[in-house]
């Protein structure tokens, strides 16, 4: 009734990845229970302790010493991730008022609400590294921190809501499942929780496309058009090719990142091909074909110049998304000030009562 | 109104139109926590609307399901009260509107939970718990805004002044209905008056009493709301989603 009312499908996406999330959760619990062989105490030699923890696949926790660059990298990555959840509410929120059935409206509302929850959860994880959510939000609004390039594309039809669920959430999960094993404890735990919900969203998006692809000719055309427009932007979500990726090597050494951009992109393509077949839709890449030697699909790379333009702010919706976020923030200022003023008065009142008593 | 079909349809329409307005807030709330809360409340209203409209369709017996009732009726056929169709305005308007609506829905659903019709009783039992949360949330915000800063007080009072006339319609007597709305008035006053007082807001004098929603005579706002809500469904007659 509230958006969670259909059973998982055998051939639907998310199943295998969800298994990996659960394995990561088990590993997390086991690592916590296991003692390390080297056993340097955190206070003895912080740098050695840090290296040992990373080496032993244990977790770095907020209280532990960590290299400044490790802290900065995590703040940047987790904040961008949080910003993406918040900005990512807009393209889908665009269709809440026009959803074509009450059931779909409920599912979409619940999804956009989940995304706000993921944003809050990730900001909280970033705050364990010594920055405040308010600071990070300022950085976003000033354009000094990024969010995922994918949310700068417009949602032009209802099928786009399905395509975002299937492809965008699908790409996000492929990216995030390895982060469930990342070396920073609060981020790994956040990812476990986020991935479980994302996998649910992905299945819902897939179901929307499945219904459209098996519906009227107009619905089918709508579904194919959405796939045509979202395919390459989704591939670009994995970032630039390995040769051009600036943060990769160090992040791998610190076990923040576990696989390269290109490895994850390949995994995503291999996953999507079969799903597109079940949908009965065509992936818009004439050169997509199975490579027997590599045991993987060959595919056409996304246009990385376009990716760089979108990241630079020149995508179709960059200005609109930022303006919308800034306006909501500015329009809400008087409400936040009222809440603060009221809380101060309530505290003062409670204090007076205590003194009087 | 006459009979359980009209009564159920009217309550379903209240919840559906309220959900549509609350859904417009998504990504626009003053803080992230409030984005979550407003979406949550919209979902509750939509959930109640689906139960009520589905049941109304069964009572009618003409083969209309929740979607046929939501997407294929024109504004002259909608039976919601005028209050819920008014535009969101600023955050104060939205919260005062929610306070008035939920202070009516809590006693309404509570009474419904005890009525003879089993389906309506089950819907009432479920929805009253949610409405109690909506009432709590909106009452707290009305207090924060009323007793916050000068600006928030000014906006909250303006919202109360703007919306107060529309609450009368909620309590139009209908002795034949499973729950007579006129009987809910005392519970409403017992909740709203202390909230306004604590919020340092003045209850306006009773004068103009706009109505007509239950007869399908709405404000000019409703047909725009429906045009947006129904556009996709109507563009693909008979399609499944």
């Amino acid at each position: 009734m509230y958006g969670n009312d259909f059973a998982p499908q055998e051939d639907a996406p998310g199943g295998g990845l969800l298994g990996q999330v659960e394995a990561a959760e088990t590993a997390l619990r086991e690592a916590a229970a296991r003692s390390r062989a080297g056993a340097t105490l955190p206070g003895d030699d912080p740098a050695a302790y840090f290296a040992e923890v990373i080496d032993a696949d244990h977790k770095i926790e907020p209280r532990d010493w960590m290299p400044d660059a490790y802290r900065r990298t995590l703040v940047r990555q987790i904040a961008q991730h949080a910003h993406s959840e918040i900005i990512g509410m807009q393209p889908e929120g665009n269709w809440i008022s026009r959803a074509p059935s009450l059931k779909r409206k409920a599912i979409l509302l619940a999804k956009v609400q989940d995304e706000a929850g993921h944003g809050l959860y990730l900001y909280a994880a970033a705050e364990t590294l010594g920055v405040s959510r308010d600071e990070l939000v300022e950085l976003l609004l000033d354009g000094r921190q990024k969010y995922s390039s994918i949310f700068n594309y417009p949602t032009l039809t209802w099928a786009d809501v399905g395509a975002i669920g299937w492809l965008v959430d699908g790409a996000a999960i492929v990216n995030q499942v390895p982060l469930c094993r990342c070396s920073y404890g609060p981020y790994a735990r956040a990812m476990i929780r986020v991935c479980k919900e994302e996998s649910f969203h992905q299945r819902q998006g897939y179901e929307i496309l499945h219904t459209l692809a098996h519906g009227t000719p107009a619905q089918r055309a709508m579904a194919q058009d959405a796939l045509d427009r979202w395919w390459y932007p989704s591939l670009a979500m994995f970032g630039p090719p390995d040769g051009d990726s600036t943060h990769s090597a160090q992040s791998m050494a610190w076990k923040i990142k576990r696989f390269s951009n290109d490895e994850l992109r390949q995994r995503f393509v291999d996953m999507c091909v079969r799903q597109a077949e079940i949908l009965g839709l065509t992936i818009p890449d004439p050169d997509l074909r199975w490579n027997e030697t590599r045991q993987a699909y060959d595919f056409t790379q996304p246009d990385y110049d376009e990716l760089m333009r979108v990241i630079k702010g020149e995508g179709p919706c960059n200005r609109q998304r930022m303006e919308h976020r800034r306006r909501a923030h500015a329009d809400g200022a008087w409400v936040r000030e009222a809440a603060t003023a009221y809380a101060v008065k309530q505290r003062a009142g409670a204090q007076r009562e205590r003194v009087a008593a | 109104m006459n009979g359980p079909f009209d009564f159920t349809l009217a309550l379903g329409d209240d919840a559906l139109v309220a959900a549509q307005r609350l859904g417009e807030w998504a990504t626009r709330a003053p803080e992230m926590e409030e984005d979550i809360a407003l979406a949550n409340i919209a979902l509750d209203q939509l959930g109640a609307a689906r139960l009520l409209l589905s049941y109304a369709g069964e009572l009618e017996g003409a083969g209309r399901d929740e979607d046929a009732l939501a997407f294929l009726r024109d504004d002259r056929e909608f039976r919601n009260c005028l209050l819920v169709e008014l535009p969101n305005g600023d955050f104060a308007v939205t919260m005062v509107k929610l306070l008035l609506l939920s202070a009516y829905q809590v006693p309404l659903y509570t009474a419904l939970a005890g009525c003879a019709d089993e389906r309506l009783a089950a819907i009432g039992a479920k929805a009253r718990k949610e409405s109690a949360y909506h009432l709590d949330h909106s009452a707290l915000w009305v207090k924060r805004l009323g007793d916050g800063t000068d600006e928030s007080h000014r906006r909250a009072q303006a919202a109360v002044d703007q919306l107060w006339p529309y609450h009368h319609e909620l309590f139009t007597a209908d002795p034949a209905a499973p729950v007579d709305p006129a009987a809910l008035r005392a519970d409403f006053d017992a909740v709203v008056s202390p909230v306004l007082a604590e919020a340092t807001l003045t209850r306006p004098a009773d004068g103009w009493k706009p109505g007509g929603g239950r007869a399908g005579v709405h404000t000019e706002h409703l047909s725009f709301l429906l045009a947006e809500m129904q556009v996709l469904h109507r563009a693909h007659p008979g399609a499944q989603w």
Side-chain angles (χ1 to χ4, degrees):
Chain A
M1 203 64 205
Y2 290 80
N4 301 347
D5 54 357
F6 59 88
Q9 286 171 289
E10 277 303 303
D11 56 359
L17 288 168
L18 211 51
Q20 290 176 39
V21 173
E22 264 155 32
E25 197 175 11
T26 308
L28 191 72
R29 274 198 300 272
E30 284 168 2
R34 199 168 63 218
S35 57
R36 273 177 311 105
T40 308
L41 293 170
D44 293 351
D45 178 355
Y49 175 79
F50 177 83
E52 264 179 45
V53 168
I54 299 282
D55 196 44
D57 273 337
H58 281 214
K59 301 298 170 199
I60 296 295
E61 295 297 338
R63 62 177 180 274
D64 292 333
W65 179 90
M66 60 190 86
D68 282 342
Y70 177 86
R71 189 184 298 273
R72 277 198 307 275
T73 297
L74 279 168
V75 168
R76 193 195 68 230
Q77 187 173 334
I78 300 173
Q80 287 187 183
H81 197 157
H83 300 331
S84 300
E85 298 283 356
I86 297 302
I87 299 288
M89 294 164 69
Q90 288 183 41
E92 290 173 290
N94 182 35
W95 281 90
I96 291 174
S97 66
R98 292 172 291 168
S101 74
L102 297 186
K103 177 183 160 185
R104 290 293 170 205
K105 192 192 287 288
I107 290 173
L108 186 56
L109 256 171
K111 180 181 177 187
V112 172
Q113 184 192 22
D114 279 350
E115 280 160 9
H118 294 171
L120 286 186
Y121 203 52
L122 285 158
Y123 283 122
E127 285 190 323
T128 64
L129 292 158
V131 283
S132 75
R133 176 172 121 190
D134 288 348
E135 285 174 74
L136 297 176
V137 168
E138 283 304 318
L139 289 171
L140 168 69
L141 296 179
D142 292 349
R144 284 184 290 154
Q145 276 186 344
K146 307 282 186 205
Y147 55 87
S148 176
S149 59
I150 194 80
F151 300 119
N152 293 311
Y153 291 89
T155 47
L156 302 177
T157 72
W158 170 251
D160 290 22
V161 173
I164 288 186
W166 175 41
L167 294 174
V168 174
D169 293 335
I173 299 168
V174 169
N175 235 331
Q176 289 167 12
V177 163
L179 291 173
C180 295
R181 294 176 182 273
C182 113
S183 60
Y184 188 58
Y187 194 28
R189 291 188 287 271
M191 281 302 97
I192 287 171
R193 181 157 147 183
V194 168
C195 280
K196 287 183 183 176
E197 289 185 1
E198 291 288 3
S199 133
F200 189 65
H201 296 162
Q202 192 207 10
R203 219 164 53 212
Q204 290 169 336
Y206 184 82
E207 212 214 34
I208 289 177
L209 283 185
H210 195 271
T211 308
L212 294 175
H214 295 83
T216 66
Q219 285 179 307
R220 199 187 146 68
M222 197 191 280
Q224 183 62 53
D225 170 60
L227 172 53
D228 291 348
R229 283 181 290 110
W230 288 92
W231 174 251
Y232 284 114
S234 301
L235 291 192
M237 279 177 73
F238 295 93
D242 291 348
D244 303 338
S245 184
T246 41
H247 305 294
S248 280
Q250 184 59 72
S251 285
M252 293 247 200
W254 278 328
K255 294 186 180 170
I256 295 174
K257 231 178 134 130
R258 298 272 174 159
F259 301 96
S260 77
N261 294 353
D262 286 334
E263 281 174 292
L264 292 171
R265 191 170 5 247
Q266 181 72 57
R267 195 175 293 179
F268 177 69
V269 171
D270 292 345
M271 195 180 89
C272 286
V273 173
R274 192 181 122 69
Q275 292 166 1
E277 278 167 12
I278 298 167
L279 288 175
L281 297 175
T282 310
I283 289 175
D285 179 358
D287 295 326
L288 182 79
R289 60 180 54 86
W290 179 250
N291 182 322
E292 196 58 45
T293 330
R294 291 200 307 119
Q295 286 295 298
Y297 282 92
D298 290 335
F299 61 96
T300 307
Q301 291 290 323
D303 177 351
Y304 291 110
D305 291 339
E306 176 181 317
L307 174 66
M308 292 327 286
R309 282 196 299 276
V310 176
I311 289 175
K312 238 174 60 191
E314 294 173 7
C317 296
N318 297 58
R319 291 176 188 205
Q320 178 189 331
R321 302 283 184 246
M322 287 302 289
E323 233 176 76
H324 183 102
R325 195 65 238 140
R326 287 196 193 105
R327 196 182 324 118
H329 191 73
D331 287 354
W334 70 273
V335 176
R336 298 191 296 275
E337 282 157 20
T340 308
Y342 180 78
V344 169
K345 285 185 199 177
Q346 292 295 105
R347 267 199 299 277
Q351 222 154 31
R352 271 196 306 278
E353 271 173 36
R354 271 202 301 279
V355 172
Chain B
M1 281 188 288
N2 40 28
F5 167 68
D6 291 297
F7 176 81
T8 308
L9 188 67
L11 301 193
D13 284 349
D14 282 354
L16 176 61
V17 175
Q20 183 73 2
R21 284 293 185 221
L22 288 163
E24 292 172 12
W25 271 101
T27 76
R28 290 180 171 83
E31 47 190 38
M32 293 170 205
E33 286 81 356
E34 199 52 31
D35 248 319
I36 296 178
L38 289 171
N40 203 353
I41 296 169
L43 264 174
D44 288 345
Q45 294 284 353
L46 184 55
R50 295 181 65 189
L51 294 172
L52 287 161
L53 292 179
S54 296
Y55 185 43
E58 290 172 37
L59 288 170
E60 187 190 34
R64 292 202 280 184
D65 62 6
E66 58 176 32
D67 286 339
L69 287 171
F71 293 100
L72 299 174
R73 277 183 302 149
D74 294 324
D75 56 319
R76 291 282 285 112
E77 298 164 282
F78 266 74
R79 293 289 177 264
N80 59 281
C81 59
L82 303 185
L83 178 75
V84 293
E85 73 197 42
L86 299 177
N88 282 336
D90 65 12
F91 188 69
V93 172
T94 290
M95 279 303 138
V96 171
K97 207 201 296 183
L98 186 61
L99 173 69
L100 300 180
L101 178 67
S102 51
Y104 152 76
Q105 283 181 331
V106 169
L108 169 75
Y109 289 139
T110 303
L112 214 56
C115 83
D117 183 314
E118 277 182 25
R119 285 282 291 281
L120 285 177
I123 295 170
K126 178 171 161 51
R128 73 175 165 188
K129 294 179 203 149
E130 296 164 348
S131 290
Y133 157 72
H134 308 165
L135 179 60
D136 190 53
H137 190 75
S138 55
L140 185 53
W141 268 116
V142 169
K143 290 182 213 168
R144 282 182 187 133
L145 298 178
D147 193 18
T149 63
D150 289 346
E151 186 189 3
S152 70
H153 177 83
R154 180 182 59 74
R155 287 179 185 252
Q157 185 64 56
V160 172
D161 293 345
Q162 182 204 328
L163 297 168
W164 189 256
Y166 291 92
H167 90 281
H168 296 292
E169 186 189 14
L170 302 172
F171 304 104
T172 310
D174 183 6
V179 172
D180 184 355
L184 308 170
R185 175 101 228 182
D187 286 327
F188 175 89
D189 287 335
V191 167
V192 171
S193 297
V195 171
L196 293 182
E198 213 184 307
T200 71
L201 295 167
T202 309
R203 178 182 163 149
D206 290 334
W208 180 48
K209 296 178 180 176
R214 300 289 186 225
V217 181
H218 291 275
T219 66
E220 291 178 348
H221 303 292
L222 184 65
S223 66
F224 285 98
L225 180 147
L226 295 182
E228 185 174 349
M229 185 174 88
Q230 299 176 339
V231 59
L232 181 57
H233 188 94
R234 284 190 187 258
H236 298 265
Q240 299 296 306
W241 299 97

